Structure formats: structure tokens, C-alpha cells
Amino acid sequence: MMTYNDYLNEIEERKAQGLHPKPIDGTELLSEIIAQIKDSDNANREDSLKFFIYNTVPGTTPAAGVKAKFLKEIILGESVVSEITPDFAFELLSHMKGGPSIEVLLDLALGNDVAIAKDAAKVLKTQVFLYEADTARLEAAYKSGNEIAEAILESYAKAEFFTKLPEVVEEIKVVTFVAGEGDISTDLLSPGNQAHSRSDRELHGKCLISTEAQNEIEALKAQHPDASVMLIAEKGTMGVGSSRMSGVNNVALWTGKKASPYVPFINIAPIVAGTNGISPIFLTTVDVTGGIGLDLKNWVKKLDENGNTVLNESGDAVLEEVYSVATGTVLTINTKTKKLYSGGKELIDISKAFTPQKMEFIKAGGSYAIVFGKKLQTFAAKTLGVDLVSVYAPSKEVSIEGQGLTAVEKIFNRNAVGTTPGKVLHAGSDVRIEVNIVGSQDTTGLMTSQELESMAATVISPIVDGAYQSGCHTASVWDNKSKANIPRLMKFMNDFGLITARDPKGVYHSMTDVIHKVLNDITVDEWAIIIGGDSHTRMSKGVAFGADSGTVALALATGEASMPIPESVKVTFKGDMASYMDFRDVVHATQAQMLQQFGGENVFQGKIIEVHIGTLTADQAFTFTDWTAEMKAKASICISEDDTLIESLEIAKSRIQIMIDKGMDNHTQVLKGLIAIADKRIKEIVSGEKPALRPDANAKYYAEVVVDLDLISEPMIADPDVNNADVSKRYTHDTIRPLSFYGGDKKVDLGFIGSCMVHKGDMKILAQMLKNIEEQTGKVEFKAPLVVAPPTYNIVDELKAEGDWEVLQKYSGFEFDDNAPKGEARTGYENMLYLERPGCNLCMGNQEKAAKGDTVMATSTRLFQGRVVEDTEGKKGESLLSSTPVVVLSTILGRTPSIEEYKTAVEGINLTKFAPSHKLLVK
């Protein structure tokens, strides 16, 4: 626990880093500060007052409880502080956002002092973060005849906490800052290698883009004090890769406005934009802060006199600038006309950024307040027995007579709440949905816990079937940062009701399994909706949405999420897969063929990819759904045959049972409940009562893509194309090249097999290839290091039981030991096989990395600049993404193999096969 003197020492340390005092969240320190405030002669009294008023974390933190209690003493006259009058104490309580502050306000509002009760009620009428315990007190007081309680409920029923807020200003002046050319990854806004500092908002803000960029933003703010800085992805999409709440927080910290004068380092209302708009999951995160995301469309394809797209020498479309957004350009956003202007000239319609729902988020300072406000208004109206007054924009309900439903439309219709009874909803509808499975990952988990504290939540919603807190993103190195953060996170989440990778009580073995793999196993109903704190929350059962830490917190606390029903793109397959190809090649080919079929337009962006996978079990199909994050899809959904789905559910049951056997279930027996759900679903399929999910035959799709397996004649590689003359074409995941492109002579410095993109079959392919190579050449000799990180411990255990792990051990020079985990990240690699701990490893880029300037061949998902490998001054780092056999062979050879070498190496090896279903996968 931190004492005041420790805090002063920490302040001095932070000064050296150019930082302000860290926000206070602990009981002991704030109690000492309050004691010094009460002591009028204390030398630290003036500073203590500032820390108490301006630097204490609100919500349900331990410090918030102490602060609320002291403010209550001041209001009741039990403590007198000249600088904090009772009126000011009420104002401070109004900024604490729930939890202990609501408890104190209710104590005062329902107390015997009428004057104080009325003042407390006045504040309560502005609050929305109330939970069942709070509303139950109000209801009980109202039913017992308490007039103050009745007045509060009447205010809630009218949603005055929303209606009395200031309206959104009509004109918003902005000055542009181009953050980069091409797609802007959230790694630029909040680098993965700085994940440890995300919960320290000011410190983490120092990693936004670069120091030079931060200085330029500050200069723009000084030059244009009446304007907001708008961050732009020129010729690209803003926020690709992940939702990254910390990225939005960083942008808001530098360009937004303070949420409250009494809450440190929490800013809201950032304005971001991109030539091709905002990545869907990142835009959801922007909504959390009441920000604005614009689709600029300031570059368009050049057309010839016949209306055909003009192509350059590389076959890419030539772009023409419609209007300039160069750094320093002053523009005006009009929220009434919903247009973007330069002076008096209209540039573009931006109405998509100002739908009625988004206007509400902006007005309320974020989407949370709207979600809680709607629930609070509904509660109050029901308690008072009055009709619900139409205050909020009505949910958009799109229903097209005679049109069938896609798979995702069916799931949303089943899970929707608050919609018109009996009305069938199609894509474009805005709905509240109940969430079945929630996942929190470890580098964003501390932020999720902060969000839960800020919205005063203390326990998981009872309507959530299951939730998991992972330890995979910090699995590689058990360093001091991890030791400080992870146990604290696991305790919080375990207490909150999640199944946690690490047991705070030390009963079961630490599980650093990749979060997406665990969520894929604990999703036991293909009708489920999953929300997870990572862009790769893309299950092969149900429909899953990667989300920011705040949306994850909201789902945990309320069991709900709000979003439009997305349009879908249907993906089917034809032809036959060559015997020497791996399913990963089919995944890459899907992206390449889609771009080719639609003239370079990515029809997947922002849509649901409905893939008719049919015959692949959930483990193998996950390779496809996982990659859809890189296709810029909002989510994906698998259509399976009945027998395949049953097999997937049986696999899931067995893995959940292993988790139970390890002692991971909690007091509510969540894992046991998931097995019961799986058993029920299997019974429904077998009996024919409810077959596997199918879209309707007359469903309408945004587009349909047919992947021709006959055209995939050699392994396919996703190339970052780091030297493309067009900067916007680098690091996009859209450059998919055949193996022969490299001529068998591109040097490979390191190989990586791991992350969420591999399954048990990949580990078996690795073992089979090593045996094969030894039989062919007499030995296995690595000319480049090969790092292997299995996705889960279950897979390791299964490989051990089947004899494959023994093969890997034979050829490895390093094997992880959970009893002695690494304390420091590896800085150099030898030419050998490394068997690393299950988890994300190199793919995350926050702990282990390749050497700067390396060319890495990986099964990973990430080819962003600086993620897996950073640049040197003389050479750009490259992360090429390919199948497991290509990675293995590249490290054996130290270069890319020729197609002939590849075919020889995989001869007789059981690669991940796929054959299109011959059954009609529609209803």
C-alpha cells in the first residue's frame, strides 16, 4: 500500500519523465491525505486538498469509497473543510460516476434532513450509473411513500439526465493533422510494446505516434485555439487492426476535451477521420468517448474518358485528390446540415457520422451514458406505472417483406431486446442485443477493470453464459511489469465473476492460453453472440465482435451491447484443393480472389463474412474466421453441416471439462453450465428439432464471393510490401503473393509458428515435417531460428499424449518451463527451434520481438510496421505471413523455398485439408 511519502517520491520520479502525479486509487493513501486535510496545521494540507479534489479516481475504486464517505461527512457537518463547502461536496459527488457516490447520495436523499435530501436528489437526477442495489433502494423508498424518491423516479422516467444536457453544437471547427499515409494501425496510436502502461493514461499517452507528432499537435492547438485537431489517415482507413481503447484514449488525451475538471487524464470527444473512413471496431470505441469519426473520401479512383479505372504499372488504381486535408487545413463540421465545409464551400456529406444514435452519444459524452440511461428510464417508468416517454432516438428497425434472413440477421433477431414484438429485422437495423460470451485479454484488461470501476459495476451480469480473462498477451516474459499488473487484474476479474487464466489463490496452474482459442472452445452454441477485447475475437461458432475495453466492460456489467445489424458477404467454394496445399493458403487466396473479382474493392470491409465452410471443425475453421480481422470485416460467421457442428461441440465440451478438472470453474459453476448448454444444443441437432444454423435461401447479401480452389496452385503469402512506392499500399494485408514470386532466394532471418492462427494440426504438421526432413537429408539443421508458441496448454497435453511433443523436444534447443518462466525478453536468437510458452508471443510484439530489420516468415496475423519486427535505419523489418509448412521450410533453408522444394518437403504429410460441402447449406 502506498503512503503519502511514497507518493511524493513517486511524484518526483514522474517529474523526471515529464509526468504529473499519478491518479490515486488506493484506500491507505487517500485516508492519509484526508487526515492531513483535517489537520489545519499540517504542512502538506494544501497539496493534500488538491490531490483529494483533482486527482482521485472515481467509480468503484477503493479511493472513491473513501472520498465519497468524506464528502458525506462534510455535507452532514460532521467534518468542516473551509475549501470544500457542502455545495462543492455535492458537485464533487456528481462527478464520481456511480458506485460509492450513488450510495452516499441515496443515503442523503432518503435521509431525515429535508434540505440535504433535496440537494442530494438534485444531483441524483443527473446520474445514470445506477445498478440493481441502487434502484431497489429507490423503489422500496417510493413504495413506502418517500416523496423525494418519487421525485427522483419521475425525473428518471422523463430521462432528464439526458434531456437537460446541452445540445450538440452546430458548428465544430477542426484543424487537420495527417497521422500517416495509408491505413493507420491502432499500433501507431497505442503500440503493443507499451501495453504495460495502458492503465496509466498520461504515461501511455507519451507513446502516441511519436514525440515529433505530439509536438506538432500541440503547435496546431496553440495556432488554432478555437479548433479541435482532427487526426487523419490519408489515403487509408483509420484504426485498423484492433479496437484499442487505449488508442482512442491517447488521441482524446492529445486532441479531445476533459471529461471532468475533477477526474485526471480522462478526455473525451476526439475527432478522427480517414480517406476510407474508420475501421468498424475502432469506430465503436470512438463512440464510447462521444467522439466523431469521418469518412472523408478525399481521394477517388481516376477514370479515363470511357469511365474505366486508370491503373498504374503495378496494376493498382490511380487516385485523384478531390480536396486537400493536408496538415494545418482548417475545416468546419456542421452537425445540423451534416456536411463538411472548407470556408463556405461544401466538401462532402458526412451524415453517417451523425445518425440520431451517434448524436446522442456526442451529447451524452459517450455511448455508456445512453445505454445506462435507457435502462434507468425504463426502470423508472415501470416502477411508477407510467408509459415510457419517447426521449431517445427510436431504434432503427429495417424490415423488408418477402426477404429472407442471413445467418447473422437470424442471430440478431434471436438476441435483440427492446424491439417491436414480432417484427423481423434486416441489416441496417440498430438494436440492443444480449451477449452470451465475453472475453477480456490481459493487455487491455486493466483498462476494462477501470471501465467497470468507472461505471460502478461490481459483479458480472447474470444473463452472460460465460466470460474469460486471458493471460496470453503477457505470457512470453514474466517480467516486473507483468508481476505488478497481472495478479491484480486476475484478482479483480476473478472476484467480478470471470473464469481467469491465473488463479489469484494459486490453486490451479497458470494458463496463458490464447484468448481467442479459449473463447472458441467455450462458445457452445452457434446462435451465440460473443464480445471480446481484441480484434481477433472471431469465433467459428456464433458471431463474435472484437471490441474495445469499454464495450467489453459494458457487456460484462449489463450483458448487452448495441450495434447496427451489419450486411453480410457470402463466401462459398468450388473446385478441389491440391494435395500439397494447406488450408491457410485457401484463406489467403480468398482475400486475393475477392479483390480480383471486385476490381480491387474490398467488399469485406465493415461487413460480416458468412463463410460456408461446411466440413471443417471449429478448430480448423478458426483459421479462416481469425483472418477476417485482417480482411477488415466487422465479423465472420461459419455455416456448418450438422455432423461437423456436433463434432466441434464435442471437442469444446472435452476442453471445458479439462478446465473444470484443473479447478478453473468458479462458485457459480459457469463452465459446468456451458457443458449443459452444449449438451442441449447437440440434442436439438440430433433430434432435428433445431438443425445447425442456416441462412434463408432468399437472403440478401451485399456481395457474394466464390473461391475457386482449382486456382490455388502454390502456397500464398501475405506480404507487407514494405518497399512499395505508394506508401498507402504498404502493410495492408491486401498484397497476397504466390511462393514463386520470391524465386526461392529471399533471405528469411526468423520463423514463427504460433498465435491464434494455428491449431493442433499445425503443431502436428511441424512434427511431421521435421521427421520428413531428417529422413530425406539425414539431419535437421536450422539456418534460421524457429520460434514455436502453441496456442493452448490443452494442445500441448494432446500432443504429448499422441507422441508429437516428444518429436518437437528432440529437435528443440529451448523448451519453456512454467516453474522458471523467462524474466526478460529474448534479444537474440540462435539457429534452432524454440518451444515457447503457450500464448501470443511474437504476434503481440509487446514482449518478444525479432531482431530489428529482420525478415520474418510467420503464421501470425500481424504484418504491421514495427509489430513483430522493427526497422533499422538501413533495412525495413518484414513480417511475411504464410502456412506452417512454408515457415518450417524457410527456417531450415534460411530462405524462401522454391515450389519444387516445398512439394518435396510436404510429401506424405497430412496438411490441413478442406473440401467444399456438397450439401445445400441454406434453409
Side-chain angles (χ1 to χ4, degrees):
M1 299 291 284
M2 182 172 282
T3 63
Y4 190 76
N5 285 333
D6 293 334
Y7 190 50
L8 294 181
N9 291 334
E10 183 188 69
I11 288 173
E12 291 303 312
E13 292 172 4
R14 289 175 70 86
K15 274 184 184 177
Q17 303 174 65
L19 299 171
H20 295 87
K22 196 172 182 179
I24 298 165
D25 60 5
T27 300
E28 185 176 348
L29 174 58
L30 194 64
S31 296
E32 190 172 346
I33 284 171
I34 290 171
Q36 291 174 170
I37 292 171
K38 291 180 176 180
D39 180 1
S40 58
D41 296 325
N42 193 288
N44 298 316
R45 186 175 183 278
E46 185 177 347
D47 284 340
S48 293
L49 272 165
K50 291 177 183 176
F51 293 144
F52 177 83
I53 295 169
Y54 299 106
N55 211 45
T56 303
V57 180
T60 57
T61 63
V66 175
K67 182 172 183 176
K69 182 181 177 183
F70 185 45
L71 292 173
K72 181 181 179 183
E73 290 178 13
I74 292 171
I75 291 166
L76 292 174
E78 296 169 1
S79 291
V80 177
V81 179
S82 60
E83 297 87 348
I84 305 176
T85 64
D87 284 348
F88 187 32
F90 272 123
E91 182 181 351
L92 290 174
L93 283 168
S94 74
H95 287 258
M96 291 183 65
K97 293 186 71 174
S101 63
I102 297 295
E103 183 180 353
V104 163
L105 286 167
L106 284 170
D107 288 345
L108 298 171
L110 304 179
N112 296 323
D113 189 310
V114 176
I116 289 176
K118 287 181 178 179
D119 287 340
K122 185 177 178 181
V123 176
L124 271 170
K125 290 174 184 178
T126 68
Q127 304 295 296
V128 295
F129 292 103
L130 276 71
Y131 285 85
E132 283 75 10
D134 306 316
T135 54
R137 287 186 69 186
L138 272 176
E139 184 176 9
Y142 163 69
K143 288 181 176 178
S144 67
N146 187 296
E147 293 180 0
I148 296 290
E150 183 176 9
I152 295 168
L153 288 171
E154 287 174 349
S155 176
Y156 287 165
K158 297 173 186 175
E160 290 180 340
F161 43 71
F162 175 71
T163 60
K164 291 190 174 183
L165 292 173
E167 294 300 322
V168 177
V169 296
E170 183 174 331
E171 289 192 345
I172 302 171
K173 187 176 177 182
V174 298
V175 57
T176 62
F177 176 76
V178 175
E181 191 172 345
D183 291 348
I184 298 293
S185 161
T186 48
D187 245 22
L188 186 72
L189 311 177
S190 168
N193 61 8
Q194 298 299 312
H196 63 276
S197 67
R198 286 177 183 160
S199 58
D200 185 346
R201 294 195 183 206
E202 188 190 19
L203 174 59
H204 195 66
K206 297 287 186 181
C207 70
L208 175 79
I209 308 175
S210 66
T211 302
E212 292 74 20
Q214 294 162 19
N215 292 337
E216 196 167 353
I217 289 170
E218 288 298 295
L220 287 171
K221 287 160 66 175
Q223 292 165 20
H224 304 276
D226 59 339
S228 296
V229 176
M230 179 168 72
L231 221 63
I232 295 174
E234 178 76 308
K235 293 186 183 177
T237 303
M238 175 63 77
V240 301
S242 62
S243 51
R244 201 63 65 83
M245 187 79 209
S246 54
V248 173
N249 285 344
N250 279 352
V251 176
L253 192 64
W254 287 98
T255 69
K257 59 186 181 183
K258 282 181 69 68
S260 162
Y262 311 115
V263 180
F265 312 123
I266 296 181
N267 282 17
I268 59 173
I271 303 175
V272 293
T275 292
N276 300 326
I278 316 297
S279 175
I281 54 176
F282 192 67
L283 187 55
T284 301
T285 317
V286 173
D287 289 341
V288 167
T289 63
I292 298 170
L294 300 183
D295 188 355
L296 296 174
K297 299 178 183 174
N298 58 312
W299 288 86
V300 298
K301 294 177 182 177
K302 184 177 181 180
L303 304 178
D304 61 20
E305 61 274 10
N306 298 317
N308 298 317
T309 302
V310 178
L311 304 178
N312 61 19
E313 293 178 357
S314 302
D316 296 320
V318 174
L319 300 178
E320 287 185 312
E321 188 178 51
V322 181
Y323 61 93
S324 175
V325 293
T327 293
T329 303
V330 177
L331 303 171
T332 302
I333 294 169
N334 191 298
T335 62
K336 189 173 182 180
T337 64
K338 300 177 183 178
K339 304 284 177 64
L340 182 66
Y341 298 90
S342 176
K345 180 184 177 183
E346 179 185 320
L347 299 179
I348 191 171
D349 181 277
I350 50 175
S351 55
K352 285 186 178 179
F354 299 103
T355 63
Q357 288 75 23
K358 288 183 182 292
M359 289 290 283
E360 290 176 344
F361 297 159
I362 296 168
K363 177 178 177 177
S367 55
Y368 294 167
I370 299 300
V371 174
F372 276 84
K374 287 179 178 179
K375 292 186 74 170
L376 190 55
Q377 185 194 18
T378 301
F379 153 77
K382 183 179 178 181
T383 303
L384 293 172
V386 299
D387 292 335
L388 194 65
V389 179
S390 179
V391 169
Y392 294 101
S395 294
K396 185 179 178 183
E397 295 187 346
V398 177
S399 186
I400 304 169
E401 190 173 348
Q403 181 176 304
L405 297 172
T406 64
V408 77
E409 287 170 338
K410 288 189 174 186
I411 292 177
F412 269 67
N413 272 277
R414 189 194 82 159
N415 286 48
V417 292
T419 55
T420 303
K423 193 169 188 178
V424 175
L425 303 179
H426 288 90
S429 301
D430 276 304
V431 294
R432 281 167 52 209
I433 48 173
E434 290 188 351
V435 176
N436 307 99
I437 302 291
V438 185
S440 170
Q441 58 105 324
D442 39 326
T443 53
T444 61
L446 284 172
M447 294 176 61
T448 300
S449 67
Q450 286 180 336
E451 296 288 345
L452 288 167
E453 287 176 331
S454 72
M455 63 178 71
T458 56
V459 67
I460 191 170
S461 168
I463 67 173
V464 174
D465 292 331
Y468 178 71
Q469 170 62 59
S470 80
C472 55
H473 290 71
T474 52
S476 305
V477 181
W478 192 234
D479 55 16
N480 289 334
K481 295 169 185 174
S482 297
K483 291 174 184 176
N485 291 331
I486 301 305
R488 179 159 53 99
L489 169 64
M490 294 297 166
K491 183 182 187 311
F492 180 95
M493 290 301 188
N494 199 277
D495 291 344
F496 198 83
L498 282 73
I499 303 300
T500 52
R502 292 176 180 272
D503 179 19
K505 303 176 184 67
V507 173
Y508 57 82
H509 183 271
S510 297
M511 304 289 281
T512 55
D513 297 347
V514 176
I515 178 174
H516 325 300
K517 289 295 189 182
V518 177
L519 293 181
N520 204 41
D521 285 338
I522 68 173
T523 300
V524 287
D525 186 346
E526 85 280 22
W527 288 81
I529 291 179
I530 305 100
I531 296 290
D534 194 289
S535 62
H536 288 98
T537 306
R538 310 254 167 165
M539 304 304 98
S540 45
K541 301 186 292 291
V543 62
F545 297 93
D548 59 276
S549 54
T551 302
V552 170
L554 196 65
L556 287 170
T558 67
E560 290 186 12
S562 298
M563 66 180 77
I565 302 178
E567 291 180 288
S568 295
V569 175
K570 184 178 181 180
V571 175
T572 55
F573 304 88
K574 68 177 183 178
D576 297 307
M577 188 174 165
S579 61
Y580 54 86
M581 303 301 292
D582 186 80
F583 183 63
R584 177 69 182 256
D585 301 314
V586 175
V587 174
H588 287 315
T590 298
Q591 189 157 351
Q593 291 189 24
M594 175 273 294
L595 291 169
Q596 187 175 23
Q597 288 174 31
F598 291 90
E601 178 192 355
N602 182 0
V603 297
F604 291 149
Q605 183 164 348
K607 306 297 188 292
I608 302 290
I609 299 179
E610 183 184 285
V611 54
H612 289 233
I613 210 82
T615 59
L616 278 184
T617 61
D619 270 11
Q620 299 164 323
F622 188 81
T623 303
F624 190 101
T625 57
D626 201 30
W627 182 258
T628 60
E630 316 316 331
M631 296 180 189
K632 299 182 184 176
K634 187 170 182 66
S636 57
I637 190 166
C638 286
I639 308 301
S640 294
E641 294 181 2
D642 286 355
D643 291 344
T644 304
L645 179 57
I646 290 171
E647 184 180 353
S648 294
L649 292 173
E650 291 290 358
I651 293 171
K653 280 175 54 184
S654 67
R655 290 181 176 164
I656 294 170
Q657 186 59 52
I658 290 171
M659 294 171 73
I660 293 172
D661 294 342
K662 289 178 184 291
M664 296 181 71
D665 215 349
N666 60 16
H667 70 281
T668 59
Q669 296 189 307
V670 164
L671 295 177
K672 186 177 179 182
L674 291 172
I675 289 180
I677 293 171
D679 284 333
K680 179 177 181 290
R681 187 70 194 100
I682 291 169
K683 185 178 178 181
E684 291 172 341
I685 299 169
V686 171
S687 68
E689 175 189 347
K690 188 177 179 183
L693 174 64
R694 301 276 190 274
D696 291 331
N698 60 338
K700 184 180 178 182
Y701 294 90
Y702 177 78
E704 296 191 31
V705 176
V706 180
V707 181
D708 190 344
L709 301 178
D710 290 333
L711 298 180
I712 311 171
S713 58
E714 55 180 304
M716 309 294 285
I717 294 175
D719 192 320
D721 204 10
V722 297
N723 296 310
N724 194 312
D726 184 347
V727 177
S728 69
K729 299 295 182 183
R730 301 175 188 171
Y731 310 104
T732 66
H733 286 90
D734 287 344
T735 302
I736 308 292
R737 289 174 168 153
L739 183 62
S740 58
F741 173 87
Y742 304 94
D745 59 5
K746 182 177 179 67
K747 186 175 183 291
V748 173
D749 300 299
L750 184 141
F752 172 56
I753 295 173
S755 85
C756 47
M757 282 296 284
V758 297
H759 55 88
K760 176 184 169 183
D762 289 279
M763 299 294 114
K764 295 181 78 69
I765 289 169
L766 166 60
Q768 291 171 16
M769 282 197 72
L770 295 176
K771 289 190 291 185
N772 219 27
I773 289 167
E774 184 173 41
E775 289 174 6
Q776 292 169 358
T777 64
K779 62 178 179 179
V780 173
E781 183 178 350
F782 290 94
K783 293 186 179 176
L786 176 58
V787 177
V788 176
T792 67
Y793 283 88
N794 280 350
I795 287 174
V796 173
D797 291 342
E798 289 167 19
L799 292 172
K800 287 179 178 178
E802 294 165 18
D804 295 285
W805 192 258
E806 186 179 329
V807 176
L808 300 183
Q809 287 175 313
K810 173 184 175 182
Y811 298 110
S812 70
F814 170 86
E815 182 179 1
F816 75 91
D817 179 0
D818 275 334
N819 295 317
K822 282 181 296 182
E824 294 182 1
R826 209 180 290 285
T827 56
Y829 297 85
E830 298 178 43
N831 291 343
M832 65 183 194
L833 171 63
Y834 292 83
L835 288 178
E836 296 285 0
R837 199 179 200 185
C840 300
N841 203 275
L842 286 165
C843 186
M844 179 57 193
N846 63 319
Q847 293 184 323
E848 301 282 68
K849 275 189 179 293
K852 292 182 179 180
D854 270 2
T855 294
V856 180
M857 188 70 75
T859 61
S860 178
T861 55
R862 298 308 201 196
L863 47 66
F864 302 135
Q865 186 174 17
R867 183 64 175 260
V868 172
V869 55
E870 295 175 357
D871 300 337
T872 64
E873 287 188 15
K875 185 179 183 300
K876 290 182 177 295
E878 298 177 271
S879 178
L880 290 86
L881 311 180
S882 63
S883 66
T884 292
V886 170
V887 174
V888 176
L889 195 53
S890 295
T891 56
I892 296 292
L893 299 173
R895 57 173 172 80
T896 53
S898 67
I899 185 63
E900 291 76 18
E901 288 171 323
Y902 170 83
K903 286 182 178 179
T904 299
V906 300
E907 189 174 345
I909 290 179
N910 184 26
L911 301 177
T912 307
K913 294 292 185 289
F914 168 66
S917 176
H918 294 297
K919 297 180 179 180
L920 188 63
L921 299 180
V922 294
K923 185 175 179 182

